[in-house]
Every structure is written in structure tokens, then in C-alpha cells.
Amino acid sequence: MLIKDKLARGLVAGIAAGVVMSMADLILTGFGWVKFPYYDWGLSLISGSVAETFPEIAIGLVIHLMFAGVLGVIFSYAIQLIPSTNSLLRGWLYGVVVWFAVHVIVNLFGFQPLKPIPMSQLLSDFLTASVFGLVLAATNNRLSPKIR
């Protein structure tokens, strides 16, 4: 399937990458590496509290996927500004920059529901942000019409 519209392509690629990222995050949560899964990030940034019930987890996950979709749209437009043939590197770097920016903002504003963030969480989030960026770039490429 090809999507000519950059906005729609970025949204689909971002949501797809967000799904893969969330699955990896849930696996790492099961191993005890993650104190605040991404559904907690999504819900707490909107409501100020972490998820305690299944409906709250579902709402937090939807918020996280919407955020991932918006990041995908930004990526879809931003890759035109950075000329490179290595799209996976651009995607990985984008994912890592977003990871860094989000964590800096949470710490800068002292956002209590997500503090303190343990080192295992930081490493896990770095790993899943890397996965997000790689899947985002690969999906965006796959959905892009090829110039011949």
C-alpha cells in the first residue's frame, strides 16, 4: 500500500511504530525494567495520575499512540529537510532526540507522577525510542511512492 499524502503517511507510520514501541515496552515492563509504561506517560501527562484500572490503561495507550502518530507526521515532513540516503539512521536519531527531549521536559518541570525515573527505565525508554525511530523510518519508506 502506498500513501502519497505526507500527513497520512506520517500518521500511519507513527501509529505503527508506536504499536511496536508499546509492545516492546510492555515486554520490558514484564521483566521489571519499567516503572512507568508508556500508557502511564500518556495518561499522566493529560490527567496528572498514572493508570490504575483497565479503562485508564486503554485511554493512556490511545493517548500514547496519538502522540506517536503526531511524531510520525512531524518526521514525515522533517525528513525532507535533512538530505540523506540513510533513512534508518534518520529515524533512529529522530527517536532518540524525542526520547531525550521528553525526559528533559519531565525533569525540567519536575512532573511528579513520573518521578523519579529509575536508570532501568531510562535505558528501556532509550531502547524503545530507538525501536520507534527505526520502525517509523522503515514504515514511512515502505508507504512512500518511489520516484523512478
Side-chain angles (χ1 to χ4, degrees):
M1 169 173 86
L2 300 178
I3 302 176
K4 292 182 181 180
D5 181 53
K6 284 185 219 97
L7 188 131
R9 184 173 57 239
L11 184 65
V12 170
I15 291 171
V19 167
V20 174
M21 174 190 210
S22 292
M23 290 174 15
D25 184 61
L26 290 175
I27 291 168
L28 292 169
T29 300
F31 287 128
W33 276 40
V34 174
K35 182 177 180 182
F36 305 109
Y38 285 123
Y39 58 77
D40 275 345
W41 285 77
L43 186 66
S44 67
L45 291 173
I46 300 298
S47 72
S49 64
V50 295
E52 295 179 12
T53 65
F54 182 76
E56 290 174 337
I57 290 171
I59 291 168
L61 186 58
V62 168
I63 293 167
H64 169 68
L65 293 178
M66 289 172 40
F67 180 67
V70 170
L71 290 175
V73 170
I74 294 168
F75 178 77
S76 185
Y77 285 96
I79 58 174
Q80 296 176 329
L81 304 174
I82 305 167
S84 173
T85 56
N86 192 341
S87 62
L88 290 179
L89 179 60
R90 287 189 290 188
W92 174 80
L93 187 59
Y94 180 75
V96 169
V97 166
V98 169
W99 163 81
F100 182 78
V102 167
H103 281 78
V104 165
I105 289 168
V106 165
N107 281 315
L108 202 60
F109 291 103
F111 192 68
Q112 287 308 314
L114 299 176
K115 289 194 73 154
I117 299 173
M119 187 57 66
S120 62
Q121 172 92 39
L122 291 174
L123 295 173
S124 171
D125 290 351
F126 177 81
L127 177 67
T128 55
S130 296
V131 167
F132 173 80
L134 292 170
V135 172
L136 177 64
T139 305
N140 192 65
N141 275 354
R142 182 148 238 209
L143 297 175
S144 296
K146 306 296 181 239
I147 299 173
R148 296 172 198 248

